[in-house]
Amino acid sequence: MKNRHMVKLGENIYYYEIPGVRSATIAFIVGSGPVYEPDHLLGISHFIEHTVFRKTKKRTLKEIKFPIEQVGGLLNAWTDKEDTVYYAKVPSSFFKTAFNILREIVFEPEFTERNVELERKIILQEYYSDLEIPEQRLFNKFFEGLIDGPHSKSIIGTEETIKNIKKEDLEQFHAEMYSPYNVKLVIAGHVDEKDLKVVKGMNLVEGFKTAKQSSKLKTGIVCDKFKETQQVHLLFAHDGIPLVDEENIYASMVLKTLLGSGMSSVLFEQIRERKALVYDISVSHFQGKEWGVFLIYAATSFENVLRLVDELYSLFKNFKLTKKVFDYGKKRLLGYLELLTESTSSLISLYTQYLANDIPVKSVDEIIERVRAVSEKDVERVFEKMISGQWSLAYVTPEEELEVELQNIYV
């Protein structure tokens, strides 16, 4: 099998070739998100992401989406704290058309008063819908109350800003943020050499926005009362590992996997299977270039909350890394990375994290090599960084506030 590798086709243009596949995923990564937005325009990056799909200088709404969807392809986008990503997954034979559509969406949108007002209505519906979802309220409360820095800002914005953003604001912000110096392009899959010529002709420029300052996790407990929920939703937070920490990042991936990936993971077995305290429990690792937050999400009944907290922190305080648990985490992670190479869209998600944070990209094979080198001592060292010490807590409850204090969530 031909070696899998990342090729740089031009400034800020990357291609990860996967021999044998018949598809390609294309992603334009724009350095635009709430960390760069003034307060009175909060949510404008997300607003632009919605509106650009309605019209470009050359295409109507139908001419944007229909050509990709009629061949079974996907066309979509998302906005994050620091970046907005536009992507398409298509059969390889349709690469050139999909690439041109995406390029026009990113660089040549046409904002009209009618389209802005249509999207404003849709975004407001999304905003109101989020208020009805306990998990979304939980994460909103977490970022708002426990993150100190620009990443505390809301991606969607506030009701006031959504209602007041104007067409001229979109045009001006787009002109500033969607310039060749602030866009990166990454492609994964198989593309014929002749079709790559259209990519090599892109005029992107070295340079990319990264957050002006890192954020950090505050110490504390924050609560959002929401009577419509039937359960208490909890998010336990601890300082994580930043993306630039080469010494610890791969061991942190193993630790995250053994703790919370799969039904054989430590937390699922101990908290769900043996104690029946939750239906599900999951972990995530929010990572920036120079900061990170490790998160554990769980939902339980009001009556079981205090027992859940006690069991969780008792588990951590008495945790011993056995060879069996270590092997599970490492083997599962290596298997996941291998399977990742079969999905062009999953690869794009992986590489977006590197590119959006302006960090040199490693191929999957390089990451696999680093994970294989992780030892039990490495994971134990990272456990001290990501688990030991004081935690913070955000929660959504239908009833009164919980009788949980900071000393209850200390390892």
Side-chain angles (χ1 to χ4, degrees):
M1 181 177 180
K2 188 176 178 181
N3 187 41
R4 303 168 298 197
H5 60 286
M6 177 71 78
V7 177
K8 193 170 182 180
L9 300 178
E11 205 59 63
N12 284 345
I13 303 174
Y14 302 86
Y15 173 40
Y16 185 84
E17 184 179 7
I18 310 176
V21 302
R22 297 184 179 184
S23 66
T25 298
I26 313 155
F28 283 83
I29 306 166
V30 185
S32 178
V35 298
Y36 308 115
E37 298 169 355
D39 289 345
H40 72 287
L41 294 178
L42 192 62
I44 193 170
S45 297
H46 178 256
F47 207 131
I48 288 174
E49 178 228 307
H50 270 246
T51 313
V52 295
F53 281 90
R54 286 196 169 268
K55 194 175 189 306
T56 71
K57 289 181 170 58
K58 298 177 182 178
R59 299 177 193 265
T60 64
L61 173 63
K62 188 167 185 178
E63 290 169 338
I64 289 170
K65 63 182 181 179
F66 185 77
I68 290 175
E69 292 184 338
Q70 75 170 341
V71 296
L74 299 173
L75 176 66
N76 213 330
W78 76 81
T79 302
D80 214 329
K81 297 289 185 178
E82 294 185 37
D83 53 85
T84 306
V85 179
Y86 301 87
Y87 69 95
K89 181 177 183 179
V90 292
S92 297
S93 59
F94 202 72
F95 170 83
K96 189 183 295 186
T97 300
F99 171 80
N100 284 328
I101 289 173
L102 271 180
R103 180 181 55 78
E104 291 172 27
I105 288 172
V106 172
F107 290 110
E108 301 174 11
E110 186 172 311
F111 300 101
T112 67
E113 293 288 357
R114 179 177 181 275
N115 286 341
V116 170
E117 293 310 314
L118 286 171
E119 284 304 326
R120 191 190 313 279
K121 292 177 182 178
I122 293 171
I123 294 168
L124 280 169
Q125 291 175 41
E126 180 183 353
Y127 174 82
Y128 297 138
S129 178
D130 284 350
L131 296 179
E132 299 174 355
I133 303 171
E135 295 90 340
Q136 188 61 53
R137 293 180 69 105
L138 175 65
F139 277 88
N140 289 346
K141 191 66 178 181
F142 165 72
F143 280 105
E144 172 193 323
L146 291 177
I147 295 299
D148 182 14
H151 296 80
S152 64
K153 293 183 176 183
S154 167
I155 292 171
I156 197 170
T158 66
E159 183 176 13
E160 181 182 4
T161 58
I162 295 168
K163 287 181 176 179
N164 291 328
I165 288 173
K166 300 178 178 64
K167 169 179 170 288
E168 292 74 22
D169 297 324
L170 298 177
E171 291 173 334
Q172 184 176 345
F173 200 79
H174 180 274
E176 177 186 351
M177 306 300 284
Y178 283 63
S179 62
Y181 80 91
N182 200 34
V183 176
K184 292 186 177 183
L185 170 64
V186 59
I187 302 159
H190 172 70
V191 182
D192 288 341
E193 184 64 32
K194 60 181 177 59
D195 290 333
L196 285 177
K197 291 179 181 178
V198 68
V199 175
K200 294 176 180 178
M202 285 285 294
N203 187 29
L204 300 183
V205 182
E206 183 178 5
F208 194 75
K209 281 187 180 293
T210 52
K212 297 175 183 176
Q213 65 183 90
S214 292
S215 297
K216 62 180 181 180
L217 178 66
K218 297 178 185 178
T219 299
I221 299 175
V222 294
C223 166
D224 181 9
K225 293 182 181 179
F226 183 51
K227 63 182 180 180
E228 279 75 16
T229 182
Q230 298 299 310
Q231 290 187 304
V232 179
H233 298 260
L234 306 104
L235 198 60
F236 303 92
H238 190 283
D239 287 328
I241 304 297
L243 289 170
V244 294
D245 188 351
E246 280 284 318
E247 180 183 6
N248 295 305
I249 189 170
Y250 303 102
S252 77
M253 294 166 66
V254 175
L255 179 62
K256 173 176 173 279
T257 304
L258 66 87
L259 283 178
S261 177
M263 293 186 290
S264 300
S265 64
V266 171
L267 293 180
F268 197 92
E269 276 199 341
Q270 298 293 329
I271 303 298
R272 197 246 198 212
E273 302 287 61
R274 296 188 183 184
K275 307 293 183 179
L277 289 173
V278 296
Y279 169 69
D280 195 13
I281 186 167
S282 61
V283 302
S284 56
H285 197 180
F286 184 89
Q287 293 176 289
K289 185 173 184 177
E290 297 179 349
W291 72 292
V293 178
F294 182 64
L295 301 167
I296 299 174
Y297 166 80
T300 190
S301 65
F302 191 84
E303 294 74 20
N304 279 334
V305 169
L306 296 183
R307 187 180 168 209
L308 168 63
V309 173
D310 288 343
E311 292 288 351
L312 180 62
Y313 285 92
S314 175
L315 187 158
F316 283 151
K317 288 172 184 175
N318 298 296
F319 182 75
K320 299 294 181 184
L321 181 64
T322 65
K323 186 176 187 306
K324 180 180 178 181
V325 169
F326 170 75
D327 286 346
Y328 170 80
K330 188 170 178 179
K331 288 178 180 178
R332 181 174 174 84
L333 177 58
L334 288 169
Y336 164 78
L337 291 169
E338 287 288 354
L339 293 173
L340 201 67
T341 62
E342 298 179 359
S343 170
T344 58
S345 52
S346 296
L347 283 168
I348 290 296
S349 296
L350 172 68
Y351 291 132
T352 294
Q353 188 177 35
Y354 285 95
L355 295 170
N357 285 280
D358 209 24
I359 293 173
V361 178
K362 290 183 175 62
S363 71
V364 175
D365 288 341
E366 290 175 305
I367 296 172
I368 286 173
E369 287 180 13
R370 302 296 181 93
V371 171
R372 281 182 177 146
V374 171
S375 67
E376 293 178 49
K377 287 186 177 180
D378 294 330
V379 174
E380 289 170 346
R381 181 184 68 248
V382 169
F383 183 93
E384 292 299 314
K385 291 179 175 290
M386 290 176 58
I387 306 295
S388 296
Q390 184 64 62
W391 287 66
S392 295
L393 171 65
Y395 67 92
V396 173
T397 177
E399 303 183 35
E400 64 268 18
E401 294 185 15
L402 305 177
E403 295 180 1
V404 176
E405 299 180 353
L406 286 174
Q407 58 262 36
N408 301 127
I409 50 175
Y410 185 89
V411 179

